[in-house]
Amino acid sequence: MTDSPECTDCPLDGDRRHFLRTLGVALASLGSLGLVARDADGATIRAMTALLAAPDDRRDEKRYPIPDVDGVSIDRDNGVIIARTAGRVFAFSLACPHQNTALRWNESDRQFQCPKHKSRYREDGAYIQGRATRSMDRLALRRDGAAIVVEIDTLFQQDDHAKEWLAAFVVV
Ligand code: FES
């Protein structure tokens, strides 16, 4: 998607900030123990950090390299998941759409899973099962050369922003 409409009424902005604050405190604790590359249950995660901003990037935009192969990476600092699957790249909120728990990626079955109520989602964020009532929330993104630029405050919920949610990916 190249020109993402502004999500001026995204109801989760406040929740998302709270989620990121809470996550930051938890990560600070994990970091002090040297466990940032593992989640609370000890499962390894593929962590990533945002690239340096380009001069014209807005404060709410984060850049990431386009993944070379299919897979999932998580930027916990900004609450962003980047997933490449079947020639498409998606950016998701790390927060479960049910009650904002940080999602996990399970490489063995190639699904996202929520540790709190066990909701499961496909690589493209589509809901499979569990207590959540919608698919994972997608973030607006665009391609800029060899990078993906993600608007971390522009969140599309499948039920409230169906058209934008469906279009929120880039082809690679
Ligand atoms: S918080 Fe994720 S399913 Fe309830």
Side-chain angles (χ1 to χ4, degrees), residues 1 11 14 16 30 36 41 60 70-71 74 76 91 109 134 139 146 157-158 169-170:
M1 149 171 201
R16 181 173 163 77
L30 286 174
V36 170
D41 289 341
D60 68 328
D70 285 1
I74 297 176
R76 291 189 177 270
D109 58 13
R134 65 174 187 265
L139 298 165
Q157 297 178 347
Q158 184 187 35
F169 64 86
V170 294

Side-chain angles (χ1 to χ4, degrees), residues 96-101 103 114 116-119 121 130-132:
C96 178
H98 181 225
Q99 289 182 353
N100 286 331
T101 301
L103 293 165
C114 177
K116 190 166 187 184
H117 303 121
K118 313 301 179 197
S119 285
Y121 311 88
R131 225 184 268 188

Side-chain angles (χ1 to χ4, degrees), residues 62-169:
K62 301 296 173 191
R63 301 185 157 251
Y64 302 97
I66 294 175
D68 293 335
V69 295
D70 285 1
V72 171
S73 299
I74 297 176
D75 173 4
R76 291 189 177 270
D77 289 344
N78 293 297
V80 173
I81 296 171
I82 299 289
R84 174 175 172 157
T85 177
R88 296 188 296 172
V89 175
F90 301 88
F92 303 109
S93 167
L94 182 59
C96 178
H98 181 225
Q99 289 182 353
N100 286 331
T101 301
L103 293 165
R104 294 179 187 163
W105 170 247
N106 188 342
E107 187 65 39
S108 61
D109 58 13
R110 304 199 64 77
Q111 293 178 358
F112 294 100
Q113 182 175 8
C114 177
K116 190 166 187 184
H117 303 121
K118 313 301 179 197
S119 285
R120 289 176 170 270
Y121 311 88
R122 292 192 329 218
E123 281 173 299
D124 65 357
Y127 171 84
I128 299 172
Q129 65 180 43
R131 225 184 268 188
T133 57
R134 65 174 187 265
S135 298
M136 288 164 61
D137 297 332
R138 291 180 178 172
L139 298 165
L141 76 170
R142 69 176 187 277
R143 182 173 185 160
D144 183 17
I148 298 290
V149 181
V150 178
E151 298 176 37
I152 61 172
D153 288 337
T154 304
L155 187 76
F156 300 129
Q157 297 178 347
Q158 184 187 35
D159 44 4
D160 288 340
H161 314 94
K163 192 170 136 218
E164 294 87 350
W165 187 90
L166 274 174
F169 64 86

Side-chain angles (χ1 to χ4, degrees), residues 49-62:
T49 55
L51 300 171
L52 287 177
D56 293 338
D57 286 355
R58 300 192 315 256
R59 284 188 57 186
D60 68 328
E61 292 180 329
K62 301 296 173 191

Side-chain angles (χ1 to χ4, degrees), residues 28-46:
S29 303
L30 286 174
S32 67
L33 297 172
L35 297 174
V36 170
R38 295 176 180 274
D39 70 19
D41 289 341
T44 56
I45 58 173
R46 191 190 305 175

